Amino acid sequence: MNNEMHLQFPAKSINESFARLVIIGFIAPLDPNAQELNEIKTIVSEGVTNAIIHGYEDDENGIIDMKASLEGRRLRVTIQDFGKGIENIELAKQPLYTTKQEEERSGLGFMIMESFSDQFEVNSVPGIGTTISFEKEFLPVDSSTK
């Protein structure tokens, strides 16, 4: 099955759950297992939350752009903001690093997204924005366990 979708929405925290629901609906025909569903929901949630909190610094006027495609059982997703960007991606990817200590942010978002992905990439240009991309291959459905 090949399919694709494109969604844009305001950078409001209430839209984080909306983005999760959209991606889950998009992959539903693959009949993902519970672990795969939780991993995809977590990656999308982290990506959108990072865009809202760090990219736009909670400015609800920002736009988040999410694209997804399915090629067979491989999902590819990009989540893009047009916010402030990341000065040092390698530093930002370090566990426990956060620019929002005062908000008690854990600094684990990139590590979590990467651990749940088959492929994960962050591209950012200060003053232009940030794009995270990830891929996930879904296990074949075992009809004998259904």
Side-chain angles (χ1 to χ4, degrees):
M1 167 192 312
N2 294 338
N3 196 10
E4 58 186 46
M5 67 109 201
H6 183 189
L7 177 69
Q8 289 186 324
F9 51 92
K12 297 181 179 188
S13 61
I14 59 171
N15 286 333
E16 177 266 329
S17 60
F18 171 64
R20 275 196 329 249
L21 288 171
V22 168
I23 203 71
I24 294 309
F26 184 70
I27 64 172
L30 298 177
D31 197 17
N33 64 42
Q35 180 178 338
E36 291 168 331
L37 280 174
N38 285 330
E39 289 174 354
I40 296 302
K41 288 192 309 189
T42 300
I43 298 167
V44 168
S45 183
E46 289 288 337
V48 170
T49 299
N50 275 357
I52 293 167
I53 292 172
H54 299 288
Y56 292 117
E57 298 185 312
D58 292 314
D59 179 354
E60 294 184 348
N61 293 314
I63 296 293
I64 297 173
D65 190 274
M66 184 168 79
K67 295 178 183 172
S69 66
L70 284 171
E71 294 177 22
R73 298 191 63 78
R74 178 162 291 276
L75 172 69
R76 289 182 175 88
V77 177
T78 61
I79 299 170
Q80 182 176 17
D81 70 62
F82 307 93
K84 71 180 215 172
I86 301 170
E87 292 284 335
N88 184 333
I89 293 172
E90 290 310 310
L91 180 60
K93 289 174 77 174
Q94 294 299 311
L96 305 179
Y97 176 81
T98 182
T99 59
K100 303 284 184 186
Q101 294 91 351
E102 70 281 358
E103 294 179 19
E104 298 183 20
R105 309 306 302 178
S106 69
L108 297 173
F110 285 142
M111 185 185 79
I112 290 168
M113 289 186 276
E114 190 163 22
S115 71
F116 287 162
S117 303
D118 295 333
Q119 291 184 310
F120 179 76
E121 188 175 337
V122 180
N123 291 299
S124 190
V125 177
I128 304 290
T130 302
T131 301
I132 65 133
S133 304
F134 72 90
E135 293 185 17
K136 180 83 170 174
E137 182 84 25
F138 291 87
L139 297 173
V141 177
D142 182 0
S143 59
S144 67
T145 62
K146 296 252 171 197

